[in-house]
Amino acid sequence: KSSLGAVDGEKGIRTSLRTSTAYTKGNLFPSIIGSFDYGIQLPGKHMSLWLRNSAGYSYSDDFNPFTRYSFASFGNNYIDYSASRQYRYTFAFPGLEFDAPKVIVAKEFVKSMAEVVLPPLRYRKLGTFNFYANWSQLSFFASGLMTNDNLTGSNKFANLGLQIDTRMVMFSLLPVTLSLGYANAWDLDRRERYGEWMISLKLLR
């Protein structure tokens, strides 16, 4: 749910349960993933706290793309059509780039994220007739990830980051969202730290 004037969901519950089974070379590879998100409004207009939780399990001991989960990055492309806040996705892990020397691959996992979304800053007049901004909104997030059976032997990870989204309108009719973000990720077992910058322009459908 969201109140009048909000630009994103401000409170509520969202759950999902997904099962899948891959079949190849005469073998079945079943897996299951569940998620539970809970959001509450904080004091002040359009300010909220979200707790986002997910867990997954693969029933096969075989090591292949059908039996393992991997985690990395904000997930946004430079030019994107998907959601601007992809750090909320189950397999996103901001701070750890796709080409980083660290790889997180697991047979089972538990992931929890806390996210604080601040009130949007609305612009009365910023830009010109054919290119102007409507609002900007800043969000902070921190998450913990526990896995097993990944390639490097590390099982505990954490990250901390922020993202600012700005809604703009181009050529008077085309709304787009410019996203900027930064996050650090930590391998808690090996005491290693990684960083990632993100910039993305979302074209609205």
Side-chain angles (χ1 to χ4, degrees):
K1 297 181 179 181
S2 57
S3 58
L4 185 64
V7 299
D8 199 2
E10 296 177 329
K11 68 177 182 178
I13 296 175
R14 176 179 294 162
T15 64
S16 69
L17 182 64
R18 308 190 302 273
T19 61
S20 63
T21 301
Y23 178 81
T24 180
K25 294 184 178 181
N27 295 316
L28 292 173
F29 301 107
S31 62
I32 186 170
I33 300 175
S35 67
F36 179 83
D37 298 348
Y38 179 69
I40 60 173
Q41 286 183 304
L42 297 178
K45 296 181 179 179
H46 313 307
M47 187 174 180
S48 58
L49 168 67
W50 284 88
L51 302 177
R52 306 184 186 276
N53 307 281
S54 58
Y57 182 79
S58 172
Y59 292 92
S60 176
D61 291 328
D62 292 355
F63 191 94
N64 63 52
F66 303 110
T67 65
R68 295 298 183 268
Y69 305 105
S70 59
F71 304 83
S73 188
F74 278 86
N76 303 67
N77 294 310
Y78 291 119
I79 304 295
D80 214 325
Y81 69 92
S82 189
S84 58
R85 291 169 181 166
Q86 295 189 40
Y87 63 81
R88 297 172 175 174
Y89 288 1
T90 298
F91 301 114
F93 202 72
L96 187 66
E97 296 179 311
F98 285 117
D99 59 353
K102 170 67 63 177
V103 178
I104 303 177
V105 179
K107 177 183 176 183
E108 58 187 87
F109 72 91
V110 176
K111 179 183 176 184
S112 294
M113 170 186 287
E115 176 190 12
V116 175
V117 184
L118 299 184
L121 174 64
R122 295 188 177 276
Y123 304 113
R124 178 170 296 182
K125 186 176 181 180
L126 180 61
T128 64
F129 176 76
N130 287 319
F131 183 68
Y132 58 90
N134 284 334
W135 51 261
S136 295
Q137 188 171 42
L138 179 64
S139 55
F140 298 91
F141 57 86
S143 58
L145 172 66
M146 295 188 65
T147 70
N148 75 342
D149 193 24
N150 65 75
L151 293 175
T152 59
S154 299
N155 295 313
K156 294 186 288 293
F157 306 89
N159 68 1
L160 178 66
L162 58 85
Q163 179 172 317
I164 183 169
D165 298 288
T166 300
R167 173 64 56 82
M168 301 181 296
V169 178
M170 302 171 60
F171 310 116
S172 300
L173 296 173
L174 178 63
V176 298
T177 302
L178 176 64
S179 300
L180 302 172
Y182 180 78
N184 280 135
W186 291 269
D187 180 337
L188 300 180
D189 291 320
R190 296 175 178 267
R191 298 184 180 180
E192 297 172 344
R193 182 175 68 89
Y194 303 88
E196 178 189 11
W197 288 95
M198 183 276 294
I199 182 170
S200 177
L201 186 67
K202 177 195 174 185
L203 304 179
L204 300 186
R205 291 176 290 178

